[in-house]
Amino acid sequence: MAGDVLPDPRRRMPGRGAWLHPDPRCLAKAEKRRAFPRALRAQGAVDVAALRAVLDAPGGDSLGATVGSGPPRAVEGNRKQVDPS
């Protein structure tokens, strides 16, 4: 089942998540490496359009630059979120 990747800069959504630099180049690299399905334990492909829109928007790269791992993040139906910081 395919899902949507949602940005969660405040890290408040429950469930599983993944960390990503707030840089469109990092998003492209993660997509190329197929990192999101593995990190989010998703079956099949995931849609990163919402995340790409946030990163491509003016000021989208000012969401933070912390990289690491943390507690599980959002799972809402078939939608998963990524902390773009």
Side-chain angles (χ1 to χ4, degrees), residues 41-62:
R41 296 181 186 164
Q43 299 295 322
V46 295
D47 182 15
V48 297
L51 184 57
R52 183 178 312 286
V54 169
L55 292 178
D56 288 343
D61 59 353
S62 65

Side-chain angles (χ1 to χ4, degrees), residues 7-83:
D8 184 19
R10 295 184 59 216
R11 299 181 295 260
R12 299 290 186 253
M13 296 175 79
R16 185 159 190 85
W19 292 81
L20 177 71
H21 281 107
D23 184 338
R25 293 175 298 182
C26 290
L27 175 59
K29 187 174 182 179
E31 285 182 289
K32 182 178 178 181
R33 295 178 58 221
R34 297 183 184 114
F36 289 116
R38 282 193 319 271
L40 300 173
R41 296 181 186 164
Q43 299 295 322
V46 295
D47 182 15
V48 297
L51 184 57
R52 183 178 312 286
V54 169
L55 292 178
D56 288 343
D61 59 353
S62 65
L63 294 173
T66 305
V67 176
S69 62
R73 302 275 185 246
V75 174
E76 194 175 306
N78 68 342
R79 298 173 62 161
K80 298 181 184 259
Q81 121 288 334
V82 171
D83 179 1

